[in-house]
Amino acid sequence: MTRIVKIDKENIDNEIIIELSHIIKNNGTVVFPTETVYGLGANALSDIAVAKIFAAKGRPSDNPLIVHVSNLEQLERIVEIIPEKAKVLMDKFWPGPLTLLFKKKAIISDMITGGLDTVAVRMPSSKIALKLIETCDLPLAAPSANISGKPSPTTAEHVIKDLDGKVDAIIDGGDCQFGMESTVIDVLNETPMILRPGSITLEDIAETINTVIYDPAMIHDTIIAKSPGQKYIHYAPKGEVYLYIGQTNDIKDAINKAAMQFINNSNKVMILGTEESIMGYKEGIILNLGSRTNPMEISSNLFSMLRKADELKADIILVEGIDEEGLGVAIMNRLKKASGGRIINCGDLV
Ligand code: TXA
Ligand code: MG
């Protein structure tokens, strides 16, 4: 039985949080909202609890988990040192959607890190998440609260669909503010490297520390990614996702043509377009991701719309690619993974 509780983030009910903290302390699992996506939380210091996270999600054991803390004392309990560059970034971006790698202490088991000697940690800014962690007074391991491979959940309804009956409790705290996961950064080497692009952009980080690069594996899929999670097909609805890149007009023409062909072959087609070209699409179920001038809007709609494809039983999902800059890098990273490599460069078609 999964207990589902509504919590108002502006008026958090302490009694309920205390009850939920007992579940965590007894090695149970509680899904909680964060400012990025919902997380499937459990005591990061208990292997019994952490094993339940992997079981509920069907997650591969070599994909390490992010540990969530609500204060620096909790961080110091689990990491060897806090490097200078990490301090600077934590000052600027914590609490918030930035995850940093640290050398782990022995108290963090290999189960959390997938055998790596580093642990990924972040301090979320969501009031409900902070209150729950603070009340447990424990670091909480929490991957996104979806079945492994599916789009991350940005509403409690998404979580219930994936995990009802598989976790002890789900907090319904409304929609997530960002709708895109945290940025994962490694500052342990000479040159800080973004391992997973996310809600905080490379440009945001470069304002704080001069040199920062993307993990080359993000761009070239022949290189092995340093972040194990990056190698899996992810964020994928049941239907086939095709991602179109190139000039906006070429994309629109190519998607219209493909939609016709797929529909003629008796497929249910969904088109995810941007505000700027949405009126130009003709056939299929047409959804508006948001404006190209407002990637924040696109990122907060993205996972919901990929899940809509399943709800509406779309066989084929044709998606308009956007510019890979700023938040667009994270959006395109998720779309490329959702497409499993079905990427059509419209420049090659004309
Ligand atoms: O916004 C978020 O980060 C959400 C919320 C719930 O906090 N969490 C989340 O967790 O997205 P998850 O498990 O879905 O993704 C964690 C990512 C994976 O790509 C994983 O490989 C990477 O972080 N990661 C975790 N520990 C790592 C480590 N020690 N070294 C490299 N990558 C690591
Ligand atoms: Mg995830």
Side-chain angles (χ1 to χ4, degrees):
M1 263 295 281
T2 298
R3 192 174 154 198
I4 298 168
V5 285
K6 253 195 164 51
I7 295 183
D8 175 0
K9 62 175 181 290
E10 300 309 335
N11 185 14
I12 298 175
D13 183 334
N14 274 333
E15 290 304 312
I16 292 183
I17 293 284
I18 290 169
E19 284 172 32
L20 295 169
S21 76
H22 289 311
I23 297 180
I24 297 274
K25 288 178 185 165
N26 287 320
N27 291 329
T29 47
V30 175
V31 173
F32 58 90
T34 82
E35 70 281 16
T36 58
V37 300
Y38 275 77
L40 199 186
N43 178 1
L45 306 181
S46 157
D47 274 358
I48 296 169
V50 172
K52 289 181 185 167
I53 293 180
F54 283 93
K57 276 186 67 103
R59 182 174 175 111
S61 62
D62 67 344
N63 191 4
L65 306 176
I66 294 176
V67 176
H68 297 65
V69 298
S70 61
N71 58 51
L72 292 185
E73 187 269 323
Q74 288 170 359
L75 177 68
E76 282 159 3
R77 277 167 76 188
I78 59 174
V79 308
E80 287 290 349
I81 49 160
I82 305 175
E84 226 15 77
K85 278 187 201 129
K87 278 188 193 145
V88 175
L89 290 174
M90 286 155 55
D91 264 357
K92 171 95 185 267
F93 297 108
W94 278 15
L98 185 70
T99 298
L100 296 114
L101 299 196
F102 298 89
K103 282 262 172 279
K104 78 173 187 81
K105 276 188 178 156
I107 193 173
I108 289 292
S109 85
D110 283 346
M111 210 183 232
I112 296 248
T113 65
L116 299 171
D117 60 358
T118 54
V119 59
V121 188
R122 84 178 188 97
M123 187 188 288
S125 62
S126 146
K127 286 183 192 159
I128 296 174
L130 284 174
K131 187 84 192 168
L132 178 68
I133 304 167
E134 196 70 35
T135 308
C136 296
D137 194 24
L138 286 168
L140 299 190
S144 50
N146 50 282
I147 294 289
S148 210
K150 290 280 150 203
S152 298
T154 57
T155 69
E157 290 72 45
H158 296 163
V159 178
I160 291 166
K161 198 144 224 167
D162 278 15
L163 296 178
D164 194 13
K166 295 184 170 155
V167 292
D168 295 309
I170 297 171
I171 300 177
D172 178 350
D175 293 358
C176 299
Q177 178 196 347
F178 288 92
M180 167 70 63
E181 301 92 339
S182 64
T183 303
V184 178
I185 189 168
D186 179 356
V187 294
L188 300 173
N189 296 311
E190 202 38 45
T191 310
M193 198 186 265
I194 292 179
L195 306 185
R196 177 178 73 176
S199 288
I200 288 177
T201 66
L202 178 129
E203 292 81 354
D204 294 333
I205 293 167
E207 280 177 20
T208 312
I209 47 171
N210 286 332
T211 329
V212 50
I213 59 169
Y214 287 117
D215 180 354
M218 257 179 59
I219 300 148
H220 310 285
D221 48 4
T222 46
I223 302 172
I224 294 173
K226 288 215 173 65
S227 181
Q230 291 291 303
K231 73 181 181 218
Y232 296 105
I233 291 192
H234 236 114
Y235 313 109
K238 292 198 187 85
E240 288 180 358
V241 175
Y242 291 80
L243 176 60
Y244 288 78
I245 56 175
Q247 299 292 328
T248 313
N249 266 331
D250 296 341
I251 292 177
K252 200 177 60 196
D253 293 345
I255 287 184
N256 273 328
K257 210 163 149 189
M260 282 291 284
Q261 283 167 355
F262 280 119
I263 289 168
N264 287 341
N265 287 324
S266 310
N267 290 292
K268 189 160 190 186
V269 171
M270 173 181 274
I271 296 175
L272 299 187
T274 60
E275 174 90 46
E276 286 75 9
S277 32
I278 205 81
M279 298 304 287
Y281 294 115
K282 301 190 178 82
E283 310 277 346
I285 306 160
I286 301 158
L287 295 185
N288 183 354
L289 277 168
S291 169
R292 284 174 175 270
T293 61
N294 186 1
M296 181 75 192
E297 184 186 15
I298 297 181
S299 90
S300 72
N301 285 334
L302 183 64
F303 292 142
S304 255
M305 291 197 175
L306 288 173
R307 279 178 178 264
K308 240 240 148 83
D310 278 352
E311 274 166 41
L312 300 176
K313 300 197 165 55
D315 305 301
I316 302 290
I317 302 106
L318 307 174
V319 190
E320 212 182 295
I322 61 162
D323 292 341
E324 284 188 81
E325 56 186 36
L327 198 52
V329 176
I331 294 167
M332 288 299 281
N333 170 271
R334 305 306 189 268
L335 283 173
K336 284 176 189 171
K337 285 184 195 306
S339 78
R342 292 183 209 92
I343 301 170
I344 290 119
N345 188 337
C346 300
D348 296 342
L349 298 178
V350 287

